[in-house]
Amino acid sequence: MDKGKVKTIHDKGFGFISSDALDKDVFCPPNIVQNENLIEGDYVEFDYEKDRRDSEKIRVVQLNKIDAPVNPLFEKALKIDQLDAKQYDVFIEEVKHYVN
């Protein structure tokens, strides 16, 4: 299963998911949007297939909501007082890299 984030929900009921693995957004049909009560910003895991009529389009065939991913830097920041000097320096470099 791929993972991603619900990017948009259209007024007509369908939506698009920004995929973590694919270079393009994935179409989410209205029945799945409604059945799962999706809203923009939800994190999901999903299976998809190529559209039968247009091989450039990809559509969701199964979907589950999941918890938002936790940034590992956040977990380290919670334990910053437990880091020694070298670990602290590495943490600061990781933060700088993440911000840039």
Side-chain angles (χ1 to χ4, degrees):
M1 289 190 118
D2 191 4
K3 293 182 181 181
K5 185 176 179 180
V6 178
K7 187 173 181 179
T8 56
I9 301 292
H10 194 275
D11 293 342
K12 294 185 178 182
F14 62 86
F16 289 93
I17 297 172
S18 177
S19 168
D20 289 351
L22 303 171
D23 293 343
K24 57 177 91 179
D25 294 340
V26 180
F27 175 77
C28 191
N31 63 319
I32 293 177
V33 171
Q34 292 166 0
N35 290 344
E36 297 296 330
N37 295 317
L38 294 181
I39 59 172
E40 291 178 10
D42 280 345
Y43 287 90
V44 294
E45 63 181 6
F46 58 95
D47 286 327
Y48 58 86
E49 66 183 20
K50 289 187 176 188
D51 190 287
R52 289 177 281 246
R53 291 174 280 168
D54 183 349
S55 64
E56 291 297 310
K57 291 183 182 175
I58 299 172
R59 67 182 193 92
V60 172
V61 292
Q62 181 182 356
L63 175 141
N64 300 307
K65 286 186 184 181
I66 58 174
D67 293 332
V70 176
N71 186 319
L73 290 177
F74 178 73
E75 291 180 353
K76 284 185 182 178
L78 293 175
K79 301 175 184 176
I80 199 163
D81 60 331
Q82 299 171 9
L83 301 178
D84 63 30
K86 186 174 181 177
Q87 291 171 323
Y88 179 82
D89 290 342
V90 169
F91 172 73
I92 295 301
E93 289 304 313
E94 289 175 342
V95 170
K96 287 178 184 177
H97 178 73
Y98 181 78
V99 172
N100 293 331

